[in-house]
Every structure is written in structure tokens, then in C-alpha cells.
Amino acid sequence: FELYQTIGNRYLIVFSLINQTDALNGLGRFGEAKEKLARAEEIVRENSDSLRQLDGKIQLRHAQIALNENDFGRAVQIAEKIPSSNDSAALLEIQRIIAVSKTRLNPKAAANLQLCDQVLQSAGKISEARTENNVKLSIAEAYLLNGNPAKALAAALEVK
């Protein structure tokens, strides 16, 4: 991070802040993660033309933090506004956030179960094992919330 600041590479500075956010979010240090994202957003705003493609990555992190903070309504709100991307792992993560959050908000809704089914099918088509497995475990949890332990077990057993 300091090296990128020294050489003034704003793109890599933002990426570094996003990576730091991921680590802090994983540790449950949400306040610090939000601070890093705020710094990244500020840099993107100052350089809007050259760094605009990173805005979707920043918004995805906001949605992930909201999900981890159990603020499911906000997680859905943010995730549904994230700009479309060609990154299949990012798209799958957006779908996961929406499916899990909606299921947490209304565990018995049939539409949420169908959404989980769709996300689980999409996970099988991605070539990134870590993302695929994370999605499958999250959807397994959503199936449990929906009162469907058989589907939860099947989804969890698909994890490699």
C-alpha cells in the first residue's frame, strides 16, 4: 500500500484498500473495513474517469459488509444496484448476497427458495472453486432457514 502511494498509482492504491477491506470484513472489524472503503471511494471520485470500473468492486464490498452485519435489507439494496460486470465470480457473489439476504428476511418465501436454487445452479458453472464453495455453503444455510434440511445437506455435500 505504501509503495503504491509513493509511486502514485491510484488504481493499485484502490485495489490495496479493497483487499484490506476484505481482510477486515473477514475478521469482523466492520468499522475499519468501512473506513478503508470510504478512502477507496474518495480516490475513485477524484479520478472518476480512470477508476470508474472499480466502483462496482467497492459497492460489492459494501454489500458483503452489510450481509455480515446482518443488515439484510441494506445488503439487498446495495447488491441490486451494483453495475453489471463481465466478472462471473462477482456476479455470482452478488446473486449470493441477494439470495441469502432475502432468505434471512423471509425464510419461508417460496420465491427465495427458487432464488437459492438458481444461485446454486450458477455456482456449478463457475471455474473458481473458492467462490463456488462459498456460494454453496451460503445457500445450504439459506435452505436450512427455509426449513429444508435435505436440500441444505445436498448443497453442503457439493462443496469440494
Side-chain angles (χ1 to χ4, degrees), residues 1-153:
F1 177 77
E2 288 80 16
L3 173 65
Y4 302 141
Q5 283 185 310
T6 303
I7 61 175
N9 188 326
R10 297 210 180 274
Y11 185 85
L12 292 177
I13 291 169
V14 171
F15 246 100
S16 179
L17 289 166
I18 290 170
N19 288 337
Q20 290 174 35
T21 296
D22 289 341
L24 291 165
N25 184 28
L27 293 170
R29 294 166 56 181
F30 307 125
E32 292 171 83
K34 289 176 186 178
E35 289 173 14
K36 298 291 183 185
L37 276 184
R39 287 179 62 196
E41 284 177 308
E42 184 180 322
I43 294 168
V44 168
R45 264 193 311 275
E46 291 170 357
N47 302 275
S48 61
D49 293 337
S50 61
L51 300 178
R52 183 55 52 196
Q53 72 272 21
L54 295 176
D55 190 52
K57 292 185 183 303
I58 291 170
Q59 295 310 311
L60 179 57
R61 278 18 180 233
H62 278 298
Q64 289 170 330
I65 291 169
L67 176 63
N68 289 341
E69 289 181 313
N70 296 328
D71 190 348
F72 306 117
R74 196 169 118 253
V76 170
Q77 230 174 13
I78 295 167
E80 287 179 338
K81 292 180 183 175
I82 296 174
S84 182
S85 167
N86 293 331
D87 181 353
S88 59
L91 290 173
L92 186 60
E93 177 63 6
I94 293 166
Q95 292 172 344
R96 178 190 77 86
I97 290 168
I98 293 169
V100 170
S101 296
K102 285 185 174 184
T103 301
R104 291 290 202 146
L105 289 168
N106 190 353
K108 300 298 180 186
N112 294 339
L113 184 60
Q114 290 173 342
L115 187 57
C116 289
D117 290 341
Q118 292 169 357
V119 173
L120 192 59
Q121 287 175 358
S122 296
K125 298 175 186 171
I126 192 167
S127 61
E128 191 176 304
R130 181 176 175 215
T131 300
E132 177 184 357
N133 290 334
N134 186 33
V135 167
K136 288 178 179 178
L137 288 174
S138 292
I139 297 303
E141 181 181 353
Y143 285 142
L144 277 176
L145 289 171
N146 191 271
N148 198 329
K151 274 193 153 184
L153 179 61

